[in-house]
Each structure stands twice: as C-alpha cells, then as structure tokens.
Amino acid sequence: MVVSTYMFLPIAHLDLDAFFASVEQKLNPSLHGKPVIVGGVDPQGREVNRGVVATASYEARKFGVASGMPIYQARKLCPHGVFLRGNFKEYHAFSKRVFNVIAKYTPFVEQSNLDEGFLHFSGFEELYPDTVRIAGQIRQEIKEVVGLTASVGLGTSKVTAKIACDLAKPDGLLAISEANRESIIFPLPVSKLPGVGPKTEAILKALSITTISDLVNKKESIVHCLGKHGANLYLSATGIDNIWFQEGDRIKSIGRSTTFLRNSNEKRYILPILFKLCDEVFDELWLKELTASCFTVTLRDHTFKTRTLERTYGTPVDRLRDLYEVASSLFFSLWDKKTHVRLVGIRASRLRARSDDDKRYRRIFENIYKLKRKYGEGIVTSALTLDSGNSPMEQLFL
Ligand code: TTP
Ligand code: MG
C-alpha cells in the first residue's frame, strides 16, 4: 500500500519485513520466493522437531506459519518449507547496515529492536517538507544498498506511526494524518493498539469494547475500570500521546534460551550449553555497549514445569567468566541434579551504557569478536565448552 500525498508528518516507524527470513533469502538467492522458516535445525544442520519458529517468510505465512509457533506445527502446516538454523551475527550485521542508511536521513532514531525503530523528523520541516517522500526514499535506499524490504508508517504520534507500519506490511508505506486518522484507526480491533494485550482485551470485551472507536466512545468506562492504563489507552487511541513507547523503546534485557535436543540430567551436557548461552548474551551486551547487573535463569523440566530465579548485583557483571558463574549458581539453586531438563535460559537486565574504562579488556574482546566474524563462531572457544564431550547443542533464537 503506498500513499503519495504531500505532507509533513513528524514521526516514522520502520520495521523490516520477515527480518531473519529475508536475510536468509538475501544470503542465499535460491531461497527467494520459497517458504523460509527460521528454527527447527540444530547446530549440526540436522532437522529437529523441538523449539519454536523465530520467524517465517511471507511465503510461509500463507500456510499459517507464524513466529512463536512450535516447530512441529509449522512442519505440519508447511511440510515443503525450508527450515534454517539462523545466524544472529548476520542479522546483527544487516541491522547495522539498515540503520546506517537511516542515519543519513535523521540523527534522531530510537531503535527498539534489531529490525525496527522510530525516526523523528521534528525540526526538519524546511529540509523535508514532505516526509512521505523521504520515507519512500529511505525504503528505496534500504532495498538497493542492503537488499531488504522495510515497511514504514508515518504519523503525528508514535502510536499512529506504529499502527500505520503494521497496516502497511509487507513492503509498504502508509501515512496516517489528522485527515485520515479516524477513518483508518477507529474501525481497527482494540488489539491493534499498543498496550492492549490479551488481558486488557478481555477486560475491554467485557465492557463491549471491541474496536478502537468503541474505546474512544467509552472513555468514562475504561478510565473507571482500568484507571491510568485506561486513560493512556484513550490518549493513544486519539493519536495525541506517545506514552506507550517512552519506557519500552530502550532495550530492557538481553536473553537467550534453548530447548535441548534431548532432555538431560547430565551436568556435562547442560553446563556447556548454559555457557554458550552466556557467551552469546555477553557478545550482544558488548556489541550494544551495555553492561548488566541483574540476571535471570530459566529452567524448564521434562514435565514442562518452568522456574526462574533472579539475582541483582550492586555493580555490573563485566566478564564472561563472572556471568557464567552467576548463571551456573542460579541454575544450581533451581536444579536438584536429578530432574531431567528440557530448556535453559539466561537473561541479563538492568542494562546501562558501558563506560570505556577497561580499554585493555575491550581490545581483547574486540579481537576475539573480529576473529569470530572472520573465521566463524568456532575459531575462539572457551576451555569450558571443550568439556562438552559429544553433547550437541540446539541453539534457537527465542
Ligand atoms: P518482527 O519484526 O516482530 O517480525 P519479522 O520482521 O520477522 O516480520 P514482520 O515484521 O514482517 O511481521 O521481529 C523481527 C525479528 O525478530 C524476526 O525476524 C525474528 C526475531 N523474533 C524472534 O526471534 N522471536 C520472536 O518471538 C519474534 C516476534 C521475533
Ligand atoms: Mg520486522
């Protein structure tokens, strides 16, 4: 969908289409036009039936495959789909290329994820009298330079820009102005409004509120039932506030979890996997120049019972070995050493921008990272992972 009206709208939301799957198609042109599903493959390249779909190309979505769906279900819906393991480093590199293009147009970018962010044009009225055209140019340049398609929504608030982007998908551009806002937004189901999850949706349904228009017309009831949350919903439905994104825009946590190839109660199978997850979290913290001081370990056992344990530290944990020590100590507090484990996860939160104090350590890390980028993940490995015997790992992005 392309709207080519001439107008200045100050906020754009940009989101890459089927990001992981599109990168895979870009890296391997023979996958173009094919249903590509990221997930369901172990590090050795063997197909497995565990874990969930990280993302699916639009060709696969036609068969009903969606993010978060169990792999076995995706295989049933799309037996001829191309299932791939995924490669976070590539996704990171592509994301960087995309945001480098964006940076040429505005320095005011709030990147909320690897593949999405808000672009602000306030103050650029003279330079860009027509932000619809600029958004089109950005999409075009991303297509030409990076080879990916991005959808963009434009609006007068973050909420309208985000909704416009969702409606424009895939490979589209939609501008929501004061002139067309009500006709586009009001008929939508309330679930399209950021801040309305399944719980709020159920409460609203009980009040006979199913569309955004109902919500706007029943301001008193929602404020009565939902308090401040209700008032905020009303404001974002009327397109005049940005409240839902003020906190959420910043990355709050970085985590990895993995479903094992087989359930296990062997330390020498589980711990190297936990270490590998710590290594990836640590890598991403460094790449994003962040430190963390709160850590959460998740353990799911063979009965699917899931437990988590969290610990916060006064100072950030700044070395991989320390992160692993924290993770393993939390893990052992959750695990009785007998129960078979199905999944482990580690999440780092309370993130802060990294100071450059420890230059020496930073240089070592950067060199390790460069080696990994050049020669592949396996080139530098901790002695700890060498102790893994023949335990295979299944690494899925969840
Ligand atoms: P999204 O932007 O939510 O999804 P998408 O880019 O695949 O598809 P589209 O935007 O066109 O609807 O997420 C961006 C990437 O983040 C996605 O390609 C895979 C990853 N991801 C996960 O790993 N797990 C998840 O649960 C979700 C939603 C996304
Ligand atoms: Mg996306």
Side-chain angles (χ1 to χ4, degrees):
M1 191 179 339
V2 176
V3 175
S4 56
T5 343
Y6 170 89
M7 63 188 132
F8 179 84
L9 289 164
I11 301 175
H13 185 256
L14 180 145
D15 189 316
L16 298 168
D17 302 319
F19 178 47
F20 290 1
S22 305
V23 170
E24 299 296 341
Q25 287 174 324
K26 173 74 189 153
L27 291 171
N28 179 356
S30 74
L31 295 175
H32 275 293
K34 292 196 180 148
V36 171
I37 294 153
V38 177
V41 176
D42 76 9
Q44 285 75 32
R46 290 175 303 213
E47 299 224 327
V48 288
N49 253 336
R50 299 159 66 106
V52 296
V53 172
T55 195
S57 69
Y58 278 79
E59 294 86 352
R61 292 183 200 194
K62 280 191 204 137
F63 297 90
V65 179
S67 305
M69 175 182 276
I71 289 291
Y72 68 85
Q73 198 182 342
R75 284 197 203 280
K76 261 192 224 150
L77 289 170
C78 193
H80 57 294
V82 184
F83 289 77
L84 299 170
R85 190 173 129 63
N87 182 338
F88 186 78
K89 292 278 152 63
E90 285 291 355
Y91 305 149
H92 198 276
F94 270 82
S95 165
K96 231 178 164 150
R97 273 173 235 159
V98 169
F99 281 89
N100 282 343
V101 170
I102 294 170
K104 287 163 56 182
Y105 291 87
T106 171
F108 305 115
V109 177
E110 294 172 78
Q111 189 178 344
S112 29
N113 218 318
L114 268 190
D115 87 321
E116 65 181 285
F118 288 100
L119 286 51
H120 295 266
F121 299 112
S122 285
F124 290 174
E125 288 82 347
E126 274 185 33
L127 188 62
Y128 302 142
D130 184 0
T131 47
V132 181
R133 195 171 68 82
I134 292 304
Q137 265 183 33
I138 295 175
R139 276 174 19 89
Q140 187 58 30
E141 192 170 336
I142 291 173
K143 214 173 272 181
E144 284 168 12
V145 175
V146 192
L148 297 179
T149 62
S151 296
V152 177
L154 280 149
T156 50
S157 73
K158 288 186 181 177
V159 169
T160 45
K162 170 88 169 76
I163 292 177
C165 181
D166 289 347
L167 292 174
K169 275 187 165 294
D171 196 11
L173 169 62
L174 177 66
I176 298 185
S177 65
E178 278 312 298
N180 63 8
R181 183 174 56 77
E182 293 192 4
S183 64
I184 294 178
I185 288 187
F186 279 16
L188 298 174
V190 279
S191 56
K192 292 277 180 201
L193 204 57
V196 178
K199 271 191 201 156
T200 305
E201 194 181 355
I203 295 171
L204 293 174
K205 198 166 174 206
L207 297 169
S208 304
I209 296 172
T210 55
T211 64
I212 295 181
S213 159
D214 297 339
L215 193 145
V216 171
N217 289 327
K218 295 198 178 167
K219 182 182 174 190
E220 269 73 46
S221 330
I222 53 161
V223 173
H224 180 72
C225 277
L226 296 167
K228 193 159 181 265
H229 182 48
N232 289 337
L233 286 179
Y234 174 81
L235 285 174
S236 54
T238 48
I240 51 174
D241 94 298
N242 293 324
I243 204 139
W244 297 113
F245 298 100
Q246 282 170 359
E247 274 299 302
D249 285 344
R250 278 179 283 134
I251 313 168
K252 284 191 174 154
S253 67
I254 290 175
R256 290 287 187 283
S257 62
T258 201
T259 308
F260 298 162
L261 278 177
R262 57 178 169 83
N263 298 338
S264 171
N265 65 353
E266 293 165 54
K267 251 190 341 195
R268 65 191 298 263
Y269 182 91
I270 299 168
L271 292 182
I273 295 176
L274 184 63
F275 181 83
K276 181 76 171 57
L277 297 175
C278 290
D279 188 32
E280 290 202 7
V281 167
F282 187 78
D283 260 14
E284 197 179 334
L285 282 167
W286 268 93
L287 282 169
K288 295 188 170 153
E289 303 195 327
L290 295 167
T291 64
S293 52
C294 178
F295 301 90
T296 314
V297 164
T298 303
L299 184 160
R300 180 169 301 149
D301 71 19
H302 63 111
T303 65
F304 280 82
K305 194 169 134 199
T306 308
R307 300 166 66 202
T308 63
L309 192 61
E310 188 172 291
R311 193 173 293 161
T312 302
Y313 294 82
T315 51
V317 170
D318 208 24
R319 294 186 339 163
L320 174 58
R321 179 160 285 273
D322 297 339
L323 170 59
Y324 174 66
E325 261 181 46
V326 171
S328 51
S329 106
L330 287 169
F331 175 77
F332 280 113
S333 307
L334 286 170
W335 188 47
D336 58 9
K337 298 191 179 164
K338 293 195 288 282
T339 308
H340 278 75
V341 179
R342 177 182 170 85
L343 168 150
V344 287
I346 166 85
R347 181 162 291 279
S349 56
R350 292 193 186 232
L351 307 179
R352 295 259 174 286
R354 177 175 290 283
S355 72
D356 276 349
D357 292 347
D358 199 348
K359 301 269 190 222
R360 191 179 66 88
Y361 192 63
R362 187 191 173 92
R363 262 208 312 279
I364 294 171
F365 174 81
E366 279 174 355
N367 285 330
I368 291 176
Y369 180 65
K370 273 188 209 146
L371 284 168
K372 283 181 175 177
R373 285 285 288 267
K374 193 158 178 195
Y375 299 105
E377 274 296 303
I379 188 74
V380 182
T381 187
S382 161
L384 262 169
T385 55
L386 295 177
D387 188 31
S388 61
N390 55 2
S391 27
M393 276 187 263
E394 180 188 12
Q395 189 61 60
L396 295 175
F397 299 108
L398 294 179

